């Protein structure tokens, strides 16, 4: 089993969830509002840093994880400037 971890913001949250459903992942946990700091700046949900990000976690078989992360990469390339990052972790 592997865990796919997806960080995204804005409309990419719904698109990433839709992609998981299209690939028939066995399930996922979505946290629609997370805060943090990265290369794109602060996402703290405050007046000074109003943006937030979302986090989606899903456990799946290794082959499916590779397919899903590749599909997320294709999605990201079709949306220049969109905030979408994915990683595979051993579970």
């Amino acid at each position: 089993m592997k865990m796919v971890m997806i960080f995204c913001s804005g409309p990419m949250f719904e698109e990433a969830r839709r992609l998981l459903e299209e690939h028939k992942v066995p399930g996922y946990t979505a946290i629609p509002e997370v805060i943090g700091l990265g290369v794109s700046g602060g996402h703290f949900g405050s007046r000074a840093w109003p943006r937030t990000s979302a986090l989606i976690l899903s456990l799946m078989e290794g082959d499916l994880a590779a397919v899903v992360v590749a599909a997320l990469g294709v999605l990201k390339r079709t949306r220049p400037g969109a905030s979408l990052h994915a990683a595979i972790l051993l579970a």
Side-chain angles (χ1 to χ4, degrees):
M1 295 293 281
K2 300 213 175 152
M3 177 180 286
V4 174
M5 183 167 51
I6 305 164
F7 289 94
C8 55
S9 62
M12 296 308 293
F13 177 61
E14 289 302 325
E15 292 193 48
R17 285 180 46 198
R18 188 170 26 259
L19 186 142
L20 292 176
E21 291 168 6
E22 288 170 1
H23 283 84
K24 300 191 180 357
V25 299
Y28 62 86
T29 297
I31 305 168
E33 190 171 304
V34 295
I35 60 172
L37 180 67
V39 296
S40 64
H43 291 225
F44 296 112
S46 66
R47 276 182 92 185
W49 304 92
R51 297 184 298 172
T52 60
S53 294
L55 173 62
I56 303 171
L57 304 168
S58 181
L59 283 172
M60 60 190 78
E61 294 298 326
D63 293 343
L64 180 56
V67 169
V68 166
V69 169
L72 288 163
V74 170
L75 176 61
K76 181 177 180 172
R77 286 189 294 279
T78 64
R79 307 290 192 283
S83 178
L84 176 65
H85 308 281
I88 297 175
L89 306 173
L90 295 177

